[in-house]
Amino acid sequence: MLAGIASAALLGVDAFRVDIEIDLARQGMPSFSMVGLAEGAVREAKERVFAALRNTGHKLPPSRITVNLAPASLRKGGSGYDLPLALGMLVAAGVLPQQRLDGLFVAGELSLTGEIKPVTGILPLTLLARDSGARGVIVPRANAAEAAVVEGLEVWGMETLGEAVEFAAGRSEAQPEPCSASDLWRRGDSWHVDFAEVKGQEHAKRAIEIAAAGAHNMLMIGPPGSGKTMLAQRIPTVLPPLSFTEALEVTKIYSVAGQLGAETALVTQRPFRTPHHTISDPGLVGGGTHPRPGEVSMAHRGVLFLDELPEFRKSVLEVMRQPLEDGTVTISRAALSLSYPADFMLVAAMNPCPCGYLSDERHVCHCTAAQIQRYRSRLSGPLLDRIDLHVEVPAVQYDDLRHTGRGDSSAAMRERILQARERQDKRYQGTPCVTNADLSGRWLEEYCRLGSAEHVFLEKAVSALALSARAYTRILRIARTIADLAGHDAITCAGLAEAVNCRTLDRQRL
């Protein structure tokens, strides 16, 4: 007898349909064969499925069992095929009716006792099921809340194989998981840190406000203990909230990577990722023997903070150039090519020299000019070319530390940033640009036009500081954001001066 069960496999962060066909023939010697480019974990499902069936009281007759995973041209991995295989075998053996499983997508891993364990990638599978016109999905109970984020189809969460068999046989009517996506999304952000806690560093806070308003990448340069990490940790508190579409995008990535918490059905806060400088190339951008998202994809729609930037291996930093430019990571293999989204805001920090005290008046720097140059040369021109703001973060003075007043709070900064983003949304409708950081080519010329006085000012600045063409472009982008924060339609000389001041490395002629 022939049975068919619908499931799914992952390709990047999206799922494609896998039709599991099971033929159970009573003629010939008992055997089991699986075809359709199944990887190791899928082939091992045979042992888990037979043990789970036996231990839950379901014994299959001696048969020649053939399993086909279609389409056969794409590889299938993971352990999510255990549950559909078990149900399919029972259908093929005549124990369960096929019609009860028609129109359903099924996924789940089985233990030897028949317990259904959670698997990764349930959200992409559920989105595929909805887009395919399915009437529902059967998933592990631990994944049910994640699947229920997708509106428009029913989700049944099962804890054991016996429970799934009773449901498929029509002997029990399990209640679908209630959909709570809107409620989860409306909860909003809750942060335990605030910019009001930062003592001093008003110049750095202003630079962060500019970077967040225009989605600019930024680099903070300062001695140890000046508060670079503290400032970076508070950047997500001033970014615009995730839209529901963006929240789904981020949740898909975390689902595929297996990093959704047990109580997390939907990621509602912008990610903040802080990889250590010993990270490998695949760890940062994704890939590996079994490709999976890297840190740049886990930071999608959020912040990627690289502390001690020159300490990262040069090869690791260079592989970031494509995602910084395109907003995606493409991983090519002989058999396939995968793409992971990676639209993030890069925030990096570094010391001004190897010892860190070049710009600190309270400490003596013993680094030679050659050591300083060698340290800073670890950052290539093409990488720095993709960072708009270079900001000095000096050591905090004692008067600032003892000051009991509170500076601007994250809420106040966020309100100004939201207003600037609204101006950009209206301005760039119908264009490929979303924020000021996207401006280039004719869009830069159109939306960053200067008056005669501004042209004269910028010409003098470019000449006096020997600024490059890339610095000129970055200054215009930053000045456009400064104008948006001030509510101005035109870029002013004061905005240009502040923008030049946000390009520390250019002014130092490094």
Side-chain angles (χ1 to χ4, degrees):
M1 187 173 176
L2 184 66
I5 306 290
S7 190
L10 295 173
L11 188 63
V13 295
D14 295 313
F16 64 91
R17 177 173 177 140
V18 175
D19 290 307
I20 302 176
E21 301 171 329
I22 302 171
D23 179 62
L24 192 150
R26 302 294 177 88
Q27 298 83 18
M29 293 293 291
S31 64
F32 181 94
S33 60
M34 181 181 291
V35 296
L37 282 183
E39 294 185 348
V42 183
R43 293 194 300 270
E44 292 170 356
K46 167 192 170 183
E47 307 301 334
R48 292 191 296 270
V49 168
F50 280 123
L53 287 171
R54 184 174 59 253
N55 291 326
T56 53
H58 299 93
K59 186 175 181 181
L60 296 176
S63 312
R64 186 160 49 87
I65 302 173
T66 304
V67 177
N68 178 42
L69 305 178
S73 58
L74 295 174
R75 290 190 176 276
K76 294 90 183 174
S79 56
Y81 303 104
D82 293 5
L83 181 58
L85 277 171
L87 295 179
M89 288 183 186
L90 293 177
V91 171
V95 177
L96 296 177
Q98 175 70 63
Q99 59 269 24
R100 286 281 295 180
L101 294 170
D102 287 340
L104 296 179
F105 276 65
V106 185
E109 178 183 338
L110 290 175
S111 70
L112 300 185
T113 61
E115 178 188 356
I116 302 176
K117 297 182 176 181
V119 294
T120 61
I122 286 296
L123 181 57
L125 176 146
T126 313
L127 289 168
L128 172 68
R130 182 197 63 186
D131 297 341
S132 302
R135 59 185 177 91
V137 296
I138 298 176
V139 298
R141 179 65 57 81
N143 292 126
E146 174 190 343
V149 167
V150 180
E151 299 177 346
L153 80 170
E154 293 183 307
V155 174
W156 290 281
M158 302 292 172
E159 289 187 351
T160 64
L161 176 58
E163 184 181 348
V165 169
E166 290 297 305
F167 173 75
R171 294 190 289 267
S172 71
E173 290 295 332
Q175 293 299 315
E177 185 78 11
C179 180
S180 57
S182 300
D183 294 337
L184 289 171
W185 181 56
R186 291 193 185 100
R187 288 179 187 174
D189 296 336
S190 59
W191 303 99
H192 302 293
V193 294
D194 195 287
F195 270 108
E197 303 161 349
V198 179
K199 301 291 186 179
Q201 304 297 11
E202 294 303 318
H203 172 65
K205 288 172 67 175
R206 170 62 176 174
I208 287 172
E209 186 173 327
I210 295 170
H216 303 286
N217 301 321
M218 71 176 297
L219 171 64
M220 294 184 285
I221 307 167
S226 59
K228 302 186 294 295
T229 302
M230 184 180 184
L231 288 164
Q233 289 171 341
R234 285 155 177 76
I235 291 177
T237 67
V238 300
L239 293 175
L242 286 170
S243 67
F244 184 68
T245 301
E246 290 175 331
L248 278 180
E249 291 177 6
V250 177
T251 307
K252 279 174 62 177
I253 298 169
Y254 278 69
S255 175
V256 169
Q259 294 199 22
L260 272 182
E263 303 300 324
T264 304
L266 183 70
V267 177
T268 57
Q269 292 185 346
R270 292 192 180 270
F272 181 79
R273 306 292 297 186
T274 58
H276 193 260
H277 64 261
T278 56
I279 192 170
S280 64
D281 297 18
L284 186 66
V285 298
T289 305
H290 301 284
R292 55 174 293 158
E295 288 293 328
V296 297
S297 294
M298 303 298 292
H300 182 62
R301 304 297 184 188
V303 176
L304 178 68
F305 177 52
L306 302 184
D307 200 5
E308 304 295 343
L309 185 64
E311 301 300 329
F312 286 78
R313 293 201 303 274
K314 195 159 188 176
S315 63
V316 172
L317 294 178
E318 292 306 303
V319 295
M320 277 203 310
R321 286 159 55 178
Q322 184 220 352
L324 282 173
E325 192 72 25
D326 303 333
T328 59
V329 172
T330 302
I331 299 169
S332 297
R333 296 288 185 267
L336 79 164
S337 180
L338 303 177
S339 291
Y340 295 117
D343 187 2
F344 59 92
M345 176 180 168
L346 174 64
V347 178
M350 63 177 285
N351 295 328
C353 66
C355 76
Y357 296 114
L358 177 63
S359 58
D360 192 345
E361 297 177 354
R362 298 173 299 180
H363 295 83
V364 177
C365 172
H366 298 286
C367 302
T368 65
Q371 289 174 326
I372 296 172
Q373 182 61 35
R374 187 163 55 249
Y375 175 74
R376 298 190 182 184
S377 65
R378 296 178 187 175
L379 307 181
S380 68
L383 178 62
L384 289 176
D385 190 26
R386 289 161 173 80
I387 300 177
D388 287 350
L389 286 85
H390 315 143
V391 182
E392 288 185 346
V393 184
V396 182
Q397 301 299 316
Y398 180 75
D399 288 343
D400 291 327
L401 291 174
R402 67 184 293 271
H403 182 59
T404 56
R406 293 168 68 89
D408 272 356
S409 66
S410 292
M413 294 173 63
R414 191 180 199 181
E415 183 60 32
R416 295 192 294 267
I417 289 167
L418 286 173
Q419 292 176 3
R421 287 287 185 103
E422 288 174 4
R423 294 176 66 87
Q424 293 168 59
D425 289 340
K426 294 178 181 178
R427 182 189 306 129
Y428 300 135
Q429 285 184 0
T431 73
C433 302
V434 177
T435 60
N436 292 331
D438 301 325
L439 290 174
S440 62
R442 67 186 182 92
W443 305 112
L444 184 73
E445 296 177 3
E446 180 175 350
Y447 295 113
C448 296
R449 290 175 180 163
L450 303 179
S452 56
E454 288 74 25
H455 271 299
V456 171
F457 176 87
L458 189 54
E459 182 181 6
K460 290 181 179 178
V462 169
S463 176
L465 299 175
L467 299 179
S468 64
R470 75 180 182 216
Y472 167 81
T473 300
R474 269 55 184 179
I475 288 170
L476 287 180
R477 289 178 180 173
I478 299 168
R480 177 68 270 168
T481 301
I482 292 170
D484 289 337
L485 284 168
H488 297 155
D489 292 328
I491 295 173
T492 64
C493 289
L496 287 171
E498 186 176 6
V500 171
N501 200 41
C502 290
R503 297 284 299 177
T504 296
L505 295 184
D506 292 328
R507 291 187 285 109
Q508 293 178 357
R509 299 183 186 181
L510 291 178

